[in-house]
Amino acid sequence: MNEKLNGFHIFILIHMIQVGVGIFALPRIAAEYFGYNGWLMLVVIAAIAAFNIYLIRVVWKMGNGADIFTIFESYLPKWIVFPLYIIVGLTWSLTASLVAKEYVLIFQVTAFPTANPMSFMFIISLLAYLLLIKGVYTIVKASTVFFFLVLWMMPLEIPFYNDLQLSRYTHYIFQEGKEHWTGFFNLYGSFLGYELCMLLFPYVQQKTRFITGVQLSSAFSFLIYVSVCLICFGFYSLQQLKLIMFPFLDLLAYIKFPFIERAENILFSFLVFRVLITIVMYHWAASLCMQRIFKNFKLKRITLFMMVITFLISLMPSVLDEVGKWLTICTYLNIAYCFVLPICLIGILSIQRWRKQLV
């Protein structure tokens, strides 16, 4: 029997892809662009993400779990789909490399200011490649293990509830914000990752609650984001949130253990498990796109080639602010893919169904 994924596997995998380095800057983004009670925008974004996942469900049902590449190639000519695969594949692979570099640069700033960040990035990329070549089922199993390795960090928020000032949760909504559309897209980037479930159609059991697992993982990530933002909005003032680059990371510095000094470095180190899954899955998705073009090459070689290319490209932004700008551009493109790809697939499947009815 062929191995297949179930809803529980999908739930953990998508959640591990979604929650990463962005969680540390999330309260600042909400405060900077939406002002007072800016965390409420997460509710709107979560609803839009849920609708987007519903569109993916429509594709899953209409196509009977068919591979999205097969759907595209059954209707569109190669001179259209191949450039599409290249653009999407490069975006996903570059996103993975930039996420790795962002994590490494933050880790360098907080723990090893004199170390060479590219050495750390090379190690993370090597670990990602070694996991990636094992296949998607091994990746899912690893993500399940990693999930339980970081699960113990969630209750660390509880002690901060005693230090919150309720007066900071004012009755003002979205006051002293700016550039709401920019803030919307930046916040939406924290929910990205669920779109990769479209590539998992051939690997999922037909009679499983596949999309339910995706919806639950997105909802679970939303609850984590809201809890982090609520704590930061109650612990810091609005002006402090706007000035602190990573409010949640600074908040972890208040955690004291009798046997560990600077516990936030230890806690941030555990985040590498989440980041690793994000890197692996985006590179895996990119490799699948490129394999549809270069069918004579093995997936391992395509993966290695893509990772080397985007690794070299990621050398260009040298500081954290530049990496953030590059990652923002990739985020905008990924948001576009989230909606454009399912809508196109629904359109193709609708036309095919209509033609069958005519026949």
Side-chain angles (χ1 to χ4, degrees):
M1 295 180 64
N2 294 326
E3 189 175 8
K4 293 290 183 179
L5 305 177
N6 56 39
F8 178 72
H9 292 142
I10 299 300
F11 167 79
I12 290 181
L13 179 64
I14 299 301
H15 171 69
M16 293 293 287
I17 298 172
Q18 285 181 315
V19 181
V21 181
I23 193 173
F24 294 111
L26 199 65
R28 175 184 56 80
I29 296 172
E32 181 179 355
Y33 291 100
F34 296 100
Y36 289 104
N37 292 310
W39 58 270
L40 287 171
M41 183 52 62
L42 291 173
V43 179
V44 178
I45 293 173
I48 296 174
F51 172 73
N52 193 192
I53 296 172
Y54 173 76
L55 293 179
I56 297 174
R57 178 184 181 275
V58 174
V59 177
W60 162 258
K61 292 294 183 180
M62 291 182 65
N64 294 318
D67 186 3
I68 65 169
F69 298 114
T70 304
I71 298 174
F72 274 124
E73 293 167 13
S74 65
Y75 184 77
L76 298 175
K78 292 183 178 180
W79 63 270
I80 293 180
V81 293
F82 282 3
L84 176 66
Y85 293 161
I86 293 173
I87 295 171
V88 175
L90 285 174
T91 304
W92 281 340
S93 186
L94 185 58
T95 299
S97 295
L98 290 174
V99 167
K101 186 158 188 180
E102 184 180 40
Y103 173 81
V104 165
L105 288 177
I106 296 174
F107 195 59
Q108 181 199 25
V109 170
T110 57
F112 301 101
T114 59
N116 184 1
M118 299 316 298
S119 300
F120 287 111
M121 186 173 173
F122 175 77
I123 294 172
I124 292 177
S125 300
L126 180 61
L127 291 174
Y129 176 74
L130 293 176
L131 179 58
L132 211 159
I133 60 177
K134 295 297 183 181
V136 66
Y137 298 111
T138 302
I139 295 171
V140 172
K141 293 173 184 176
S143 68
T144 304
V145 175
F146 293 164
F147 173 77
F148 288 105
L149 285 176
V150 299
L151 190 63
W152 64 272
M153 296 176 60
M154 295 180 185
L156 293 176
E157 301 177 357
I158 296 175
F160 292 105
Y161 284 102
N162 296 326
D163 300 319
L164 304 183
Q165 296 185 24
L166 297 180
S167 61
R168 287 174 174 159
Y169 303 110
T170 66
H171 61 280
Y172 299 109
I173 305 296
F174 301 156
Q175 296 290 328
E176 297 191 19
K178 64 174 184 178
E179 300 176 3
H180 290 170
W181 279 111
T182 302
F184 172 84
F185 289 122
N186 287 336
L187 286 179
Y188 201 99
S190 299
F191 287 83
L192 291 178
Y194 64 82
E195 73 277 10
L196 300 185
C197 72
M198 290 186 290
L199 304 178
L200 296 172
F201 287 174
Y203 305 94
V204 177
Q205 297 173 5
Q206 287 293 327
K207 297 182 179 180
T208 188
R209 295 184 176 181
F210 167 50
I211 300 299
T212 302
V214 180
Q215 290 282 20
L216 289 176
S217 66
S218 186
F220 185 50
S221 300
F222 161 72
L223 292 176
I224 292 176
Y225 292 152
V226 168
S227 65
V228 168
C229 286
L230 280 174
I231 290 173
C232 290
F233 270 81
F235 191 86
Y236 300 106
S237 68
L238 180 65
Q239 300 305 320
Q240 286 176 322
L241 276 178
K242 290 182 177 181
L243 293 174
I244 301 173
M245 192 169 187
F246 303 107
F248 187 55
L249 184 59
D250 285 8
L251 198 66
L252 295 178
Y254 289 91
I255 299 176
K256 303 295 181 182
F257 294 109
F259 51 88
I260 296 178
E261 200 170 328
R262 299 205 60 177
E264 72 274 15
N265 291 341
I266 303 297
L267 299 175
F268 187 76
S269 300
F270 272 87
L271 190 69
V272 71
F273 295 119
R274 292 185 178 276
V275 173
L276 189 62
I277 295 300
T278 304
I279 296 169
V280 167
M281 287 305 297
Y282 272 104
H283 276 309
W284 174 78
S287 299
L288 288 185
C289 291
M290 302 307 291
Q291 192 180 36
R292 303 299 297 192
I293 302 174
F294 305 102
K295 295 183 179 180
N296 295 328
F297 291 87
K298 293 183 179 179
L299 187 63
K300 294 180 181 180
R301 292 184 178 181
I302 295 175
T303 301
L304 180 61
F305 178 77
M306 291 291 291
M307 291 184 72
V308 170
I309 291 296
T310 53
F311 181 89
L312 294 176
I313 294 175
S314 66
L315 295 176
M316 297 174 66
S318 57
V319 295
L320 194 58
D321 186 52
E322 291 180 358
V323 174
K325 291 178 181 179
W326 283 50
L327 199 54
T328 299
I329 296 173
C330 290
T331 298
Y332 290 169
L333 292 173
N334 286 325
I335 293 173
Y337 301 154
C338 286
F339 290 92
V340 172
L341 292 179
I343 291 172
C344 290
L345 289 167
I346 292 172
I348 291 172
L349 291 170
S350 299
I351 293 173
Q352 291 178 345
R353 182 176 295 183
W354 175 68
R355 287 181 175 177
K356 288 181 180 179
Q357 291 177 351
L358 292 179
V359 175

